[in-house]
Amino acid sequence: MEKRRIYVDYNATTPLNSEVKAGMIEDFEIYGNASSMHSSGRHAHARLEEARKAVGDLIGAPAKTVIFTSGGSESNNTVFQALRRVASDSSGKPLKGRTEIITTAIEHPCVLNSAAYLKSLGFTVYFLPVDQYGKVKIDEYRKVLSERTLLVSVMMANNEIGTIQDIREIAELAKAAGAWMHTDAVQAAGKIPVNVDDLKVDYLTMSGHKIYGPKGIGALYVRSGAPLFPLIHGGHQEDGFRAGTYNNIGILGYGKAAELAKKNLEAYGRDIRVLRNQLRDGLLAKVPNITINGHPTDVLPNTLNVSFPGAEGESILLGLDLNGIEASTGSACASGSLEPSHVLMAVGVGPELAHGSIRFSLGWGVTKEDIEYIIDTVPPIIARFRAMSTVSSVPTVPSVQS
Amino acid sequence: MPEWLYSDTVKDHFTNPRNVLMEDESTYPHDARGLTGNLICGDQMLMLLRIKDDIITDVRWKTYGCASAIASTSVLSETIKGMNIKDAYTIKPEDLVEKMGGLPANKIHCSVLGDKALRKAIDDYLAKTGRPGLFKEASTVICTCLGITDKDLENAYLKGARSWEDFQAATKIGTGCGKGECKTKALELLHEYAHIYGEKQA
């Protein structure tokens, strides 16, 4: 079998689309500062507004409700900081009234850490549990939602296991309680249909490099009337809500990527899902004793998270890499931490399994032949690590050995 | 673009580990057995030794672990063949890391499991031959003022110590000269023990 180089880590980042790249190279000629009044500036500004419209179109939002940021982390931080400002005094401590934030245990670290920061200021934060498939436990949500809730922030699709949340239901409940609703749609926008009015959200986070656009550019949708304050103070860019000289090339590339993502959305959902299911079925057939993590149907079309009991994640990852397959792992050892993936732990996978889990995230460029190669390559790698593993050789493995 | 994440030696031992036991341990009759590590932390190591006249004549090992753990134990297994058990007992992870051409700082803790399992196996052998505690002096002094050793800190960890303050309460480490120069090393050991035994041990 001929060795290939197969990238299946598209949830981490995507390569630049060739059309986006070609456009960006041409756009390097656009050097005018989009804030300038002269001809070059006006030209840059006009192009920038076209990109804003394209990004808005991807989520069914008017262009004027889209603010460009440096990426998903900045967008998410902006929402949390804006609402902190609404509900706290000058020292950051919460005022009486709406002092509670609801999010989930499986959010991206930029949301978890933003929530933790507000908690340190005195806000009450609920990290909602999820079920075995990664879905928010609505009953638990109803229990903590109240007239004290300031913000509900729930990611639309999870980056590790791909589970898609029932955002509309969550948002309707939040609105009924008078809370603001935010969703981190970094992994969803461009992969599945996303419409801010259908979802009834007030804020929605997006990122360019997850949809074959450039890195370092993202956007935040803010519904008209929702509170917003700048995270970065300075000039008048973005109506004063996000200072800093416009990243022209990044924004134009992002606009083109958003336009292509919208155009190809249906084909993406159809074609990539076929490949993902081919990989899932092939691995289930050829590797004994594995578990598929995430929701069986409400899942991103490109994401497959697999636990391989008895084999350790970083070893699998590097074994795959030596065979040309580039994936991701929930193993702690790969990140230098002792803690396994917080997402896999939240869905109840358990540390032993979480340490042996691999995420395959597919995208344009992956072929049927690539999937066949992965299906053929994975079984001997897993068999080898299992054979040399203590897990299979020790009859009863104590959880702690002293 | 670098072909491999770690050194070529690590790659060699990861892809072709020496003395690894691919079958069940019952297929390898042995004189000593050491098992350490914690699946909760993603690493577990088993070391099986054949010993004659206190000389390690052969070794096999198994692991549930990362590439660094596999490679370092492979290197260790080659190193100890033909070695007196006392010399083997005093092998330090730093020696193995050097032989591997280095490891990133955040992977050093993965390399300690092999020698921990090795020590455990040797202790097992000593117990079987009626000589428990023979190499107690092989521990390393961390706090020179009070003579607190790594063994003392390990015992404190196993009894529930999880912070520098816990270590101080259990052993008085760092309370002699007051300079706290031993603190860095003690906290490194705390991290290492957490990796080996898991946070939940108390």
Side-chain angles (χ1 to χ4, degrees):
Chain A
M1 187 168 49
E2 189 187 345
K3 182 178 167 182
R4 291 165 172 250
R5 174 62 50 186
I6 301 171
Y7 182 81
V8 279
D9 199 14
Y10 284 80
N11 283 9
T13 195
T14 57
L16 261 185
N17 173 284
S18 57
E19 203 175 328
V20 172
K21 183 180 176 183
M24 287 175 72
I25 290 170
E26 284 183 25
D27 291 336
F28 269 104
E29 299 302 321
I30 302 172
Y31 59 86
N33 189 323
S35 301
S36 299
M37 294 176 69
H38 51 57
S39 180
S40 293
R42 292 200 311 276
H43 176 59
H45 188 262
R47 291 291 312 278
L48 187 149
E49 290 306 319
E50 289 172 15
R52 193 188 306 278
K53 182 174 184 315
V55 171
D57 283 348
L58 183 62
I59 56 168
K64 64 182 180 185
T65 60
V66 173
I67 290 170
F68 287 115
T69 66
S70 64
S73 292
E74 185 189 322
S75 295
N76 288 338
N77 271 269
T78 299
V79 174
F80 276 77
Q81 289 305 317
L83 289 168
R84 174 193 67 80
R85 186 159 161 184
V86 165
S88 63
D89 63 19
S90 57
S91 69
K93 289 181 180 168
L95 298 163
K96 285 184 179 175
R98 292 193 179 267
T99 59
E100 299 182 358
I101 292 159
I102 300 174
T103 185
T104 82
I106 61 168
E107 299 295 313
H108 188 275
C110 65
V111 166
L112 293 175
N113 288 332
S114 290
Y117 175 61
L118 265 62
K119 188 176 179 183
S120 74
L121 295 176
F123 287 84
T124 299
V125 180
Y126 297 102
F127 295 95
L128 291 176
V130 294
D131 66 16
Q132 62 179 314
Y133 302 117
K135 286 266 195 180
V136 166
K137 291 183 175 175
I138 297 292
D139 288 346
E140 299 290 330
Y141 173 47
R142 286 178 189 274
K143 277 184 202 168
V144 296
L145 188 64
S146 75
E147 71 280 357
R148 295 183 301 280
T149 307
L150 170 68
L151 168 69
V152 177
S153 178
V154 176
M155 71 193 330
M156 188 165 177
N158 185 263
N159 51 318
E160 291 192 36
I161 57 175
T163 296
I164 299 167
Q165 301 294 343
D166 303 317
I167 293 297
R168 181 181 176 126
E169 181 184 3
I170 293 167
E172 284 178 337
L173 289 167
K175 303 313 293 176
W180 299 104
M181 177 71 204
H182 166 246
T183 189
D184 175 352
V186 160
Q187 291 293 343
K191 293 179 184 167
I192 57 174
V194 175
N195 183 287
V196 291
D197 288 334
D198 289 347
L199 295 173
K200 299 195 180 303
V201 295
D202 298 305
Y203 304 93
L204 185 142
T205 292
M206 292 174 277
S207 179
H209 73 104
K210 307 290 189 185
I211 56 168
Y212 310 90
K215 293 168 179 62
I217 184 73
L220 175 66
Y221 160 78
V222 184
R223 186 176 293 283
S224 177
L228 187 65
F229 298 94
L231 191 67
I232 299 173
H233 298 270
H236 297 294
Q237 293 90 353
E238 302 294 284
D239 284 335
F241 289 120
R242 203 276 185 181
T245 303
Y246 284 111
N247 170 10
N248 275 359
I249 306 301
I251 290 172
L252 299 190
Y254 184 22
K256 187 66 184 173
E259 179 190 324
L260 292 171
K262 188 182 180 198
K263 181 178 153 193
N264 297 322
L265 192 62
E266 192 180 331
Y268 181 93
R270 183 187 61 231
D271 298 348
I272 304 292
R273 191 184 301 277
V274 167
L275 294 173
R276 184 251 186 208
N277 291 348
Q278 181 192 349
L279 178 58
R280 177 197 62 198
D281 296 344
L283 292 178
L284 282 168
K286 290 205 169 185
V287 188
N289 189 23
I290 63 172
T291 306
I292 306 297
N293 302 309
H295 198 278
T297 54
D298 290 348
V299 65
L300 288 174
N302 76 319
T303 306
L304 183 72
N305 191 301
V306 189
S307 291
F308 298 95
E312 195 275 335
E314 193 217 50
S315 289
I316 303 171
L317 182 77
L318 296 179
L320 291 173
D321 188 41
L322 286 171
N323 284 277
I325 300 167
E326 297 176 336
S328 173
T329 177
S331 163
C333 233
S335 64
S337 142
L338 296 180
E339 298 298 324
S341 151
H342 69 286
V343 175
L344 294 176
M345 295 300 287
V347 298
V349 164
E352 293 91 338
L353 270 187
H355 282 297
S357 299
I358 296 289
R359 177 187 72 186
F360 300 94
S361 50
L362 282 48
W364 296 120
V366 178
T367 66
K368 189 171 180 293
E369 289 71 31
D370 290 337
I371 299 295
E372 287 167 359
Y373 176 84
I374 298 172
I375 293 169
D376 287 339
T377 305
V378 168
I381 291 173
I382 300 301
R384 177 171 173 270
F385 287 126
R386 281 178 171 170
M388 64 193 290
S389 169
T390 55
V391 176
S392 58
S393 73
V394 182
T396 305
V397 181
S399 60
V400 174
Q401 182 73 13
S402 59
Chain B
M1 183 179 66
E3 181 76 12
W4 172 252
L5 185 62
Y6 306 124
S7 71
D8 287 344
T9 307
V10 173
K11 180 181 179 181
D12 177 28
H13 281 268
F14 173 64
T15 51
N16 301 294
R18 279 54 144 187
N19 305 305
V20 66
L21 181 63
M22 298 297 282
E23 298 80 29
D24 188 85
E25 66 176 284
S26 64
T27 64
Y28 183 77
H30 47 272
D31 303 301
R33 179 182 188 274
L35 174 69
T36 192
N38 180 2
L39 292 179
I40 290 172
C41 292
D43 284 301
Q44 190 172 59
M45 188 70 64
L46 174 69
M47 187 72 69
L48 306 172
L49 304 177
R50 286 180 181 169
I51 301 171
K52 188 165 196 270
D53 299 331
D54 284 359
I55 302 293
I56 297 170
T57 59
D58 202 3
V59 54
R60 292 289 183 277
W61 56 275
K62 294 178 87 72
T63 188
Y64 176 89
C66 65
S68 302
I70 290 171
S72 60
T73 311
S74 175
V75 169
L76 174 67
S77 71
E78 283 199 318
T79 306
I80 61 173
K81 272 193 190 178
M83 196 177 263
N84 182 286
I85 53 172
K86 182 168 185 179
D87 294 333
Y89 204 92
T90 56
I91 287 175
K92 297 212 173 336
E94 296 91 311
D95 302 332
L96 300 175
V97 170
E98 191 178 335
K99 283 189 178 188
M100 287 190 288
L103 279 176
N106 64 356
K107 303 297 290 186
I108 297 290
H109 64 228
C110 306
S111 69
V112 304
L113 282 175
D115 78 273
K116 289 281 179 191
L118 171 64
R119 286 186 183 201
K120 207 155 190 176
I122 293 172
D123 282 339
D124 175 51
Y125 177 73
L126 291 172
K128 283 177 181 168
T129 54
R131 298 175 290 167
L134 187 63
F135 300 146
K136 192 169 172 36
E137 72 277 10
S139 57
T140 303
V141 173
I142 305 299
C143 171
T144 51
C145 298
L146 301 177
I148 309 299
T149 67
D150 56 349
K151 197 75 184 168
D152 295 324
L153 296 178
E154 190 169 359
N155 287 335
Y157 184 89
L158 291 170
K159 289 176 182 169
R162 292 294 181 274
S163 66
W164 168 247
E165 290 73 22
D166 289 347
F167 273 163
Q168 287 193 310
T171 68
K172 306 299 178 198
I173 186 171
T175 59
C177 67
K179 292 179 183 172
E181 289 174 350
C182 50
K183 185 175 179 180
T184 302
K185 184 63 185 168
L187 291 178
E188 285 174 8
L189 288 170
L190 180 70
H191 184 70
E192 184 180 312
Y193 299 146
H195 192 69
I196 295 169
Y197 298 116
E199 297 290 352
K200 292 183 173 57
Q201 172 81 2

